[in-house]
Amino acid sequence: MKLMLASSSPYRAKILQQLKQPFDICAPDIDELAQPEENTADYVSRLALAKARAVANQCKNTLVIGSDQACTLNGLILGKPGTEDAARKQLKMCSGNWLVFHTGLALVNTETTTEQVVVETYKVKFRQLTESQIQTYIRMDQPLDCAGSFKVESLGISLFTAMEGSDYTTLLGLPMISLVTLLESEGFSPLLIHEA
């Protein structure tokens, strides 16, 4: 079977390359607004599945991977900042606090129509940050397209005093340990050679 990543994220595509398996990418077109009274775990699982389904409708003989992530600070969802000012405000709020990442992961088998969805969590504890440290970090890493306003794979690691979770890639937006488990349940093992 083929692999398809239902995402427009270059970060997720880079993570998926770790499996050393060929895959295609298709950006899904879905409504990403949260529903009233929807909790964060339900939100990311719904969007991950919606992304996978939207792309699965266009494929045959394919395992379609969808993922969505939200980070929360004391229950408040922090989105992608988009501007330096918004990033500065987010990092100031995060200073000294724990940030929780919820990552929804969906896998749709277009042949059997099997759908699987899991939600993984990961936590990071921020250092007490000064205004100068925040401004320097934003200037150097430009994390404007990252939820929580940081790039952990770059200088963003210097913002933390601790990280907690069972799978570091959950923080990056594509929980690879869970993904391999889902793929194997569909008969696709990255440790075996697959014919196209």
Side-chain angles (χ1 to χ4, degrees):
M1 292 195 80
K2 298 175 185 175
L3 285 184
M4 176 73 75
L5 179 62
S7 178
S8 59
S9 167
Y11 305 109
R12 287 192 179 101
K14 186 174 182 180
I15 298 165
L16 189 55
Q17 289 173 356
Q18 291 178 332
L19 294 186
K20 302 199 180 301
Q21 297 291 329
F23 65 93
D24 293 313
I25 299 172
C26 182
D29 183 19
I30 65 162
D31 178 2
E32 297 195 24
L33 290 175
Q35 302 294 326
E37 307 299 320
E38 187 174 39
N39 69 41
T40 308
D42 290 343
Y43 172 67
V44 297
S45 62
R46 178 177 60 82
L47 290 188
L49 184 56
K51 289 176 181 180
R53 283 175 174 167
V55 172
N57 290 333
Q58 308 166 38
C59 304
K60 291 183 179 179
N61 195 34
T62 304
L63 294 170
V64 182
I65 302 160
S67 187
D68 195 79
Q69 185 180 69
C71 64
T72 59
L73 173 65
N74 299 322
L76 173 69
I77 294 179
L78 301 181
K80 297 175 184 177
T83 67
E84 289 189 8
D85 186 53
R88 184 184 59 76
K89 288 176 182 173
Q90 278 193 2
L91 290 173
K92 194 171 181 179
M93 288 186 343
C94 292
S95 178
N97 291 306
W98 283 97
L99 198 62
V100 181
F101 283 78
H102 303 267
T103 304
L105 174 67
L107 185 68
V108 174
N109 183 327
T110 63
E111 291 304 292
T112 64
T113 68
T114 302
E115 298 179 341
Q116 301 181 71
V117 185
V118 296
V119 176
E120 299 291 342
T121 59
Y122 204 90
K123 295 168 59 174
V124 296
K125 174 75 183 288
F126 276 77
R127 298 179 186 282
Q128 290 288 345
L129 301 171
T130 66
E131 188 70 32
S132 175
Q133 288 173 321
I134 290 171
Q135 290 177 351
T136 298
Y137 172 70
I138 293 170
R139 184 180 74 251
M140 294 182 73
D141 241 7
Q142 289 294 302
L144 307 185
D145 63 343
C146 301
S149 300
F150 66 85
K151 295 180 181 179
V152 69
E153 67 278 15
S154 186
L155 184 60
I157 194 71
S158 67
L159 302 173
F160 310 134
T161 60
M163 301 194 305
E164 288 183 6
S166 61
D167 182 356
Y168 171 74
T169 57
T170 296
L171 179 59
L172 302 177
L174 189 61
M176 295 298 287
I177 293 173
S178 289
L179 177 58
V180 170
T181 301
L182 297 183
L183 289 171
E184 287 186 337
S185 74
E186 295 296 329
F188 188 106
S189 172
L191 297 176
L192 300 176
I193 296 173
H194 295 278
E195 299 295 331

